Amino acid sequence: MSCGTTGKRPSVDAGKEIYVFKTIGVIGAGQMGHGIAHVSALAGAQVRLLDTAESALDDAMERIADYMAKQAARGQIDKSEIDPALGRIVTGTDYAMLYDCDMVIESATESEVVKREILKTAIQNMLPDAYLSTNTSSISITRLAANTDRPERFCGCHFMNPVPAMPLVELIRGLATTDATFEKFKEFTEALGKTVAVSEDFPGFIVNRILLPMINEAIYTLYEGVGSVSAIDTAMKLGTRHPKGPLELADFIGLDTCLAILSVLHGDLADAKYRPCPLLVKYVEAGWLGVKTGRGFYDYAGDTPRPTR
Ligand code: NAD
């Protein structure tokens, strides 16, 4: 049995010492939060999935169930695992549900203000010795950890999208993260069948330090009229063997998230080469955030995505 592309997820039934963290809180039920809940529940953890929006929680459960059904159809999991895994996920909007979590991971909107507020509220509702994490794509782990009462038990855990399919997790120590905490998170991510890449705590870590400038350059290429949306994506797919074109990928990540990451790179590294393309800013201002809002560089209203430029 396998999970996603790794084929390494251990069977839940193989032993009862199933999980590093037995009860996990996930804050933010968007495309990443629901994916983290998905893989954690399949691996045997009890999951508390929290969001401010009830609709996000309903969507999350629907998407998790749909994706698990697809995994079963592909032979990646056994059909009999689905109902018990779904039964391990409890959703809600009340932070009190974090009371018995061994670990809480924050995966809400990529904004330092939002994340600081979430972490402040979370620690007031958590066990004093529980671990804390963030799935931020770019924001300083040291800064977020320093804002809590447990920087030594805090570790950055950057999953990739879609979580059940992508084999990588970047682990990032904050300045105060202890070796024991780091090892615990390494064990956790490996128990999910993921491969760990260790990154130092610099803006965007490894993946987004490299990926987002490429996506930004693709948007500048569109902005300057060098190529159309389909020309740019076709060029990069067929010319460099990328599975998705950069504009298609930007839509998939979420243009708000892309802009937020570029703003962190630009602000924290203070280098003009990371300046977000004005066209990206305009799309976000228009609420054209990509797949999640039905329109970005492509229009997702029909059966096949249609380029918008
Ligand atoms: P998303 O827009 O799909 O979901 C964000 C969710 O956070 C929404 O459901 C929203 O209701 C919720 N939220 C906002 N404020 C909240 C609050 N105060 N309390 C609780 N919930 C709140 O975003 P996403 O793509 O899931 O990104 C989430 C995090 O994961 C971000 O930090 C992002 O940088 C990171 N990330 C994203 C990707 C990606 O490809 N999109 C990949 C890796 C990591």
Side-chain angles (χ1 to χ4, degrees), residues 76-94:
Q76 294 169 336
I77 62 172
D78 199 282
K79 206 168 167 225
S80 65
E81 292 179 76
I82 297 179
D83 284 344
L86 291 175
R88 284 191 281 273
I89 306 175
V90 176
T91 61
T93 55
D94 188 351

Side-chain angles (χ1 to χ4, degrees), residues 11-234:
S11 165
V12 172
D13 300 323
K16 291 303 163 193
E17 277 305 303
I18 45 179
Y19 216 70
V20 182
F21 300 121
K22 290 195 171 9
T23 307
I24 295 179
V26 182
I27 305 177
Q31 47 188 350
M32 294 307 290
H34 91 265
I36 297 168
H38 175 136
V39 295
S40 301
L42 264 185
Q46 301 295 326
V47 178
R48 317 270 188 255
L49 181 59
L50 194 148
D51 203 290
T52 42
E54 288 279 4
S55 59
L57 294 166
D58 294 343
D59 285 356
M61 289 310 291
E62 208 173 297
R63 291 174 72 177
I64 293 170
D66 285 353
Y67 202 116
M68 283 186 189
K70 277 192 194 126
Q71 286 179 302
R74 292 180 198 139
Q76 294 169 336
I77 62 172
D78 199 282
K79 206 168 167 225
S80 65
E81 292 179 76
I82 297 179
D83 284 344
L86 291 175
R88 284 191 281 273
I89 306 175
V90 176
T91 61
T93 55
D94 188 351
Y95 278 76
M97 69 200 279
L98 304 178
Y99 79 99
D100 64 345
C101 291
D102 308 304
M103 189 275 276
V104 172
I105 178 162
E106 170 288 311
S107 187
T109 308
E110 185 73 353
S111 150
E112 189 160 343
V113 174
V114 169
K115 290 185 186 301
R116 277 175 181 260
E117 201 51 45
I118 287 174
L119 292 170
K120 201 169 99 192
T121 314
I123 55 177
Q124 288 161 11
N125 289 275
M126 287 167 61
L127 294 166
D129 60 350
Y131 292 86
L132 197 50
S133 181
T134 173
N135 183 40
T136 180
S137 299
S138 59
I139 299 165
S140 163
I141 303 302
T142 300
R143 261 197 333 257
L144 290 175
N147 184 51
T148 74
D149 59 350
R150 62 196 78 194
E152 70 290 341
R153 296 174 90 80
F154 193 110
C155 188
C157 216
H158 182 220
F159 286 85
M160 305 293 134
N161 187 14
V163 180
M166 294 294 279
L168 184 78
V169 174
E170 282 182 302
L171 284 186
I172 309 106
R173 284 186 179 89
L175 204 57
T177 309
T178 63
D179 287 348
T181 296
F182 179 81
E183 285 308 318
K184 194 95 179 161
F185 278 93
K186 187 160 176 284
E187 226 183 294
F188 160 61
T189 44
E190 286 175 352
L192 298 176
K194 306 295 186 194
T195 299
V196 167
V198 179
S199 170
E200 291 299 319
D201 187 18
F202 282 91
F205 318 124
I206 296 171
V207 170
N208 287 323
R209 176 78 175 260
I210 298 168
L211 179 64
L212 263 294
M214 187 200 69
I215 286 177
N216 201 33
E217 202 57 34
I219 302 171
Y220 270 114
T221 307
L222 178 68
Y223 179 60
E224 291 172 12
V226 181
S228 64
V229 168
S230 59
I232 292 166
D233 277 351
T234 303

